[in-house]
Amino acid sequence: MPGHFFHWTAPQTWPWFFDAWLALTLLGFAKPIWRWFRRNRAETWPATQGRIESTAINERKGFLTNASSKASFASFTYSYEVGGTKYVGAYEKQFGTDEESDDFLRDLTGKDVMVQYNPGKPSRSFVLNSSISSLLSSRPPSAASPLEIHRYWNPVPVRLIRVLPLFEILAITGFLSSVLVNVRTLSSRWTPPNYVWGLHVGIFLVFSPAIFVAQKRVGSPNRKDFWKVVLKGAPDWMKYFLYALFAYAAAIGIPSWIRAMQQPPQVSGFSDWGEFSVIWMVFYWASFAILYAAIHQERLSPRCVNGHPAAPGDNFCGQCGQPIVRNW
């Protein structure tokens, strides 16, 4: 488009930080792919019974993240024997909070676990997810949910909860505006007015508080099951719609990038505004879904009349002694 500083479908015009973001995104897939390869290879290895010797919880900060977004890693060491020789291995799993890590490791020391070992080099071993599931099913459940305990210790401030509906309205308004831009651009060679670029700014206005609330509710945003946990409390259709938007963004963006590698930048049309509006739709709907789930969940959680969070089953607040209100 004339007057724009870069074209979405012309990679040669992208700013350097966009290329860096793409490189970091691709790098982020390296570890999951490697673990998938190891897991599939280990499924063909012979198995032996091992014993869990010790457990530990460690916090590590993700790359280019702030100090408050540390992820919790639960790990245990195990021993096993092959041909009369004793070997030692380690298993590690990432969680969003230390409470979840502690619940995962609860009563595991001294338990037996099935271990897959490399027949060519027995010192190399792997514990499959199926073995972990069998291990965890053999113990009684905990009294309270780790996420509920985390919410009790790290509550969303009451003042923030009371203004969240405002951000929720801004998010759904931004989403509907983005849909309008996307539909009109897709159906015609319509050029939106300049003020539509304000939707860029609107993303920061709604997505920043949404991520803050999500981090308060579930711990680190670096956790693997972030979207599954942070949308707890939202209707299923809201979650599936978000996943559909992710798929739509990929279906629109990837073919455009491929075509852009083979032809000059387009001067106008769906190529720029279409892709931008899809990104807006994803961010605005994600913000709306996160805020909706947070508001719904927090209002159902027990608090006292002064707004202090209460532990499950309490009738009076441990901070001020006031009675607990289940719906506030």
Side-chain angles (χ1 to χ4, degrees), residues 2-16:
H4 288 179
F5 61 93
F6 73 95
H7 292 270
W8 182 258
T9 56
Q12 63 270 26
T13 65
W14 292 350
W16 67 269

Side-chain angles (χ1 to χ4, degrees), residues 117-148:
Y117 65 92
N118 188 332
K121 193 173 183 179
S123 60
R124 294 182 178 178
S125 61
F126 196 88
V127 178
L128 299 176
N129 291 335
S130 57
S131 299
I132 294 296
S133 298
S134 300
L135 178 66
L136 299 181
S137 64
S138 64
R139 62 180 189 179
S142 58
S145 165
L147 287 179
E148 180 63 24

Side-chain angles (χ1 to χ4, degrees), residues 62 69 85 167 225 228 239:
S69 61
T85 302
F167 293 104
D225 57 348
K228 178 181 178 180
K239 305 174 188 177

Side-chain angles (χ1 to χ4, degrees), residues 30-42 126:
K31 186 174 181 179
I33 292 175
W34 171 242
R35 285 193 59 84
W36 174 85
F37 173 76
R38 288 186 60 200
R39 182 173 61 251
N40 281 269
R41 182 181 59 176
F126 196 88

Side-chain angles (χ1 to χ4, degrees), residues 5 71 86 136 163 183 191 204 296 328:
F5 61 93
K86 186 176 181 179
L136 299 181
V163 300
V183 171
T191 301
F204 295 98
H296 179 74
W328 54 283

